[in-house]
Amino acid sequence: MAQGSFYVTTPIFYINDVPHIGHAYSEVAADFLARWHRAVGDDTWSLTGTDEHGEKILRSAQAAGLPPQEWADNLVETAWKPLLDAINISNDDFIRTTEERHEDGVRRFIQRLYDRGYIYFGEFGGYYCVSCEEYKNEPDLIKNDDGDLLCAIHKRPAEYLSEENYFFKLSEFTQPLLDLYASNPNFVSPDSRRNEVISFVKQGLQDLSISRNSFDWGVKIPWDESHIVYVWVDALINYITAIGWGVDDQNFSRRWPATHIVGKDILRFHAVIWPAMLMAAGIEVPKQVFGHGWLLVGGEKMSKSSGTGVSPVELTAAYGVDAFRYYFLKAVVFGADGNFSLEDIEARYNAELANGFGNLASRVHAMAVKYFEGKVPEASAKGEAEKVVSTLIQDAVSGAHKQVEAIDITGALNKLWTIVDGLNHYLTEQEPWHLAKDPANADRLATVIRTSLEGLRVLAVALSPVIPETSEKLWVALGAVESIGALSVQNLLEAANGELPTGSALGTLPVLFPRIDNKD
């Protein structure tokens, strides 16, 4: 991987259900990372997409009386692509597993594993969860009151299947995977997920069934078209087919390896099966697999089947896109499970966005308009208080960058929010509204307002990866003539050292986050 490149992926989402905020959570997190890396000058590529093969899709299409491809096309265009617009995702590519570029790549990859001796024909029987599209081990099953075995995740009956399939020699990669985890402690993150994966692999891996022959909705095995590729194996390969593996070697070398952002429930596929497949194919393993936690409603994982699915569109309509993005990245520690409630999002919206950040921007801008005719004053009387603010800003931006590099998104936002709190404290101490009453304090007043405007400038740039629409509004109100996205690549990291031109005219600042009162 070339220095300064960053390739980030979300899971490609199974299209059988409409999107809920659990899906949006992964999207927004990956988008934040992509926007930040772009802003600091990294050669960045962001991928998302949809997983459209498998028995569950086939059954749903049949129930709707539609061919599976038509069923998939409808869902992608009416539900999944609109999700990206609804939450302002800046992805560079959107891949579908039914695209020719992907299916061709899957066939090449599987053929390579076969030619290298890692695939054999055998017989297998076990309990299969159609919702997970996965064979389940005994610990992954629970019994209901009638003694039926259920998937522990979906609480639905697991079906016993017995098939003659092709198998991948996953068992041969137990020690190579343990060596990978030992040599690269950050390969699986956070630490709690890494420990889970290591514990699982240490138990010894079993060979993996990688084909099905009881239905035909999938990518056909190249040497035996009576079988199709197991949907999870098919899906994982998207991360390399999307960037031209086997077709565009230059682009593949430029982008790979990737940082995968996934939910913890699919971590084993990405941190165990996927790197083993890549090792077998002679391809470099991913840079990192980060397994974030679940969004919980009433203590349960969010899902349509349990009645806890919440539409992202409903929340963005009520609170705005930026508030949606901010809330889920700051209120929930990235990597841990987090409880979601409308009461919490509303409380944080009012306290942190409306009263904290929005009110700060409003009153600083209003005082600049009132006291300096809407122009940026010159700071000629800097003192110890300004040095404190400057140090705070520099530490916050550099600290946030370190947190982003560690994929601690919540920690990065907490660092940046110290600027909001610090500027509010600075204004309370300096009381510019009192300084304005005495002409003798003109220089001091100019310094306080200039210092505050500079703080807003830094916030506009540094918060743009999480609240891009609001940051742009603030940026324009500070007199910018070009968008934040058009800034030179070093502006985010050097935002603390930049400067607003003295005498430049401010623009109009709308209310960034109107307070929400008594919302049902």
Side-chain angles (χ1 to χ4, degrees), residues 10 23-32 34-35 38 46-48 80-94 321 324-325 465 468-469:
T10 72
H23 303 111
Y25 183 46
S26 294
E27 291 282 1
V28 170
D31 188 63
F32 172 86
R35 287 177 183 268
R38 288 191 198 105
S46 175
L47 175 70
T48 190
W80 290 95
K81 284 187 176 179
L83 168 67
L84 307 184
D85 293 332
I87 55 177
N88 198 5
I89 301 301
S90 62
N91 57 298
D92 296 291
D93 193 6
F94 186 99
V321 175
F324 177 98
R325 293 169 59 96
E469 292 181 355

Side-chain angles (χ1 to χ4, degrees), residues 212-475:
R212 302 290 302 277
N213 65 356
S214 57
F215 62 95
D216 63 357
W217 180 236
V219 180
K220 293 185 183 299
I221 295 286
W223 63 89
D224 184 352
E225 293 195 351
S226 68
H227 285 252
I228 60 169
V229 178
Y230 170 44
V231 64
W232 261 107
V233 172
D234 170 2
L236 288 166
I237 300 170
N238 93 91
Y239 302 124
I240 61 173
T241 60
I243 54 172
W245 174 76
V247 176
D248 186 347
D249 293 340
Q250 183 176 359
N251 190 60
F252 180 73
S253 298
R254 175 182 178 184
R255 302 295 177 198
W256 190 257
T259 295
H260 298 314
I261 303 299
V262 301
K264 67 177 184 179
D265 51 332
I266 57 174
L267 184 62
R268 290 181 189 176
F269 291 102
H270 289 81
V272 179
I273 296 173
W274 179 224
M277 289 167 52
L278 290 167
M279 289 176 183
I283 301 171
E284 186 178 359
V285 298
K287 178 182 178 182
Q288 188 172 17
V289 180
F290 192 99
H292 65 70
W294 289 342
L295 295 182
L296 306 176
V297 176
E300 292 187 16
K301 180 195 175 189
M302 191 168 297
S303 71
K304 181 181 177 183
S305 60
S306 65
T308 56
V310 179
S311 166
V313 176
E314 293 176 3
L315 293 183
T316 56
Y319 303 102
V321 175
D322 279 358
F324 177 98
R325 293 169 59 96
Y326 169 86
Y327 173 77
F328 287 106
L329 296 184
K330 192 166 186 291
V332 179
V333 175
F334 195 61
D337 291 345
N339 282 294
F340 161 78
S341 71
L342 294 177
E343 293 79 11
D344 189 39
I345 189 172
E346 184 171 318
R348 286 179 175 272
Y349 176 99
N350 281 332
E352 299 173 23
L353 294 176
N355 295 345
F357 176 60
N359 187 54
L360 168 68
S362 177
R363 60 179 179 155
V364 170
H365 187 272
M367 286 188 287
V369 170
K370 181 177 181 180
Y371 303 142
F372 297 98
E373 299 180 337
K375 295 182 180 179
V376 177
E378 182 176 2
S380 58
K382 289 185 177 181
E384 188 62 32
E386 286 69 47
K387 292 180 182 178
V388 170
V389 171
S390 177
T391 300
L392 169 70
I393 289 174
Q394 292 179 23
D395 289 348
V397 173
S398 62
H401 183 62
K402 292 177 182 178
Q403 300 291 71
V404 170
E405 290 186 315
I407 314 188
D408 181 2
I409 297 176
T410 313
L413 293 183
N414 286 336
K415 285 283 187 183
L416 295 178
W417 219 252
T418 63
I419 302 175
V420 176
D421 295 337
L423 288 175
N424 276 318
H425 179 71
Y426 172 74
L427 289 174
T428 298
E429 281 194 331
Q430 301 306 313
E431 299 182 313
W433 45 89
H434 287 314
L435 292 174
K437 295 178 180 178
D438 187 348
N441 296 324
D443 287 347
R444 183 63 193 155
L445 176 63
T447 297
V448 172
I449 298 302
R450 173 60 177 261
T451 300
S452 301
L453 287 170
E454 292 289 359
L456 292 181
R457 176 188 57 79
V458 174
L459 286 172
V461 177
L463 291 176
S464 61
V466 65
I467 50 173
E469 292 181 355
T470 303
S471 292
E472 189 69 30
K473 291 176 184 177
L474 178 56
W475 186 245

Side-chain angles (χ1 to χ4, degrees), residues 46-214:
S46 175
L47 175 70
T48 190
T50 45
D51 181 4
E52 302 173 23
H53 289 136
E55 189 171 9
K56 184 163 57 172
I57 300 301
L58 179 61
R59 290 184 183 184
S60 296
Q62 290 172 339
L66 293 172
Q69 186 66 64
E70 184 177 345
W71 173 255
D73 291 343
N74 289 341
L75 286 171
V76 169
E77 295 302 326
T78 62
W80 290 95
K81 284 187 176 179
L83 168 67
L84 307 184
D85 293 332
I87 55 177
N88 198 5
I89 301 301
S90 62
N91 57 298
D92 296 291
D93 193 6
F94 186 99
I95 190 164
R96 301 176 57 184
T97 56
T98 54
E99 291 181 63
E100 184 177 354
R101 61 169 172 160
H102 175 71
E103 292 187 345
D104 287 348
V106 170
R107 282 187 285 268
R108 284 196 303 273
F109 189 94
I110 294 299
Q111 186 69 55
R112 175 180 284 205
L113 295 187
Y114 184 73
D115 292 344
R116 285 172 165 242
Y118 288 105
I119 292 178
Y120 65 92
F121 192 71
E123 186 173 348
F124 181 79
Y127 285 95
Y128 193 83
C129 173
V130 175
S131 295
C132 291
E133 292 283 10
E134 177 186 9
Y135 280 102
K136 294 293 182 178
N137 296 322
E138 187 174 340
D140 301 318
L141 298 170
I142 58 175
K143 285 186 178 181
N144 63 11
D145 294 339
D146 296 326
D148 299 323
L149 290 173
L150 310 180
C151 168
I153 294 176
H154 291 94
K155 309 298 190 295
R156 293 178 176 176
E159 302 176 16
Y160 188 85
L161 301 178
S162 180
E163 296 181 302
E164 288 186 324
N165 294 333
Y166 288 95
F167 287 77
F168 169 59
K169 295 179 181 179
L170 182 62
S171 59
E172 293 191 8
F173 292 90
T174 299
Q175 192 56 50
L177 286 169
L178 292 174
D179 292 343
L180 169 64
Y181 307 145
S183 63
N184 184 358
N186 292 323
F187 179 76
V188 183
S189 298
D191 288 343
S192 59
R193 307 283 180 253
R194 177 176 181 271
N195 294 336
E196 291 171 10
V197 168
I198 291 175
S199 177
F200 173 74
V201 174
K202 280 184 175 180
Q203 297 173 27
L205 299 174
Q206 297 180 349
D207 290 347
L208 176 71
S209 172
I210 64 159
S211 75
R212 302 290 302 277
N213 65 356
S214 57

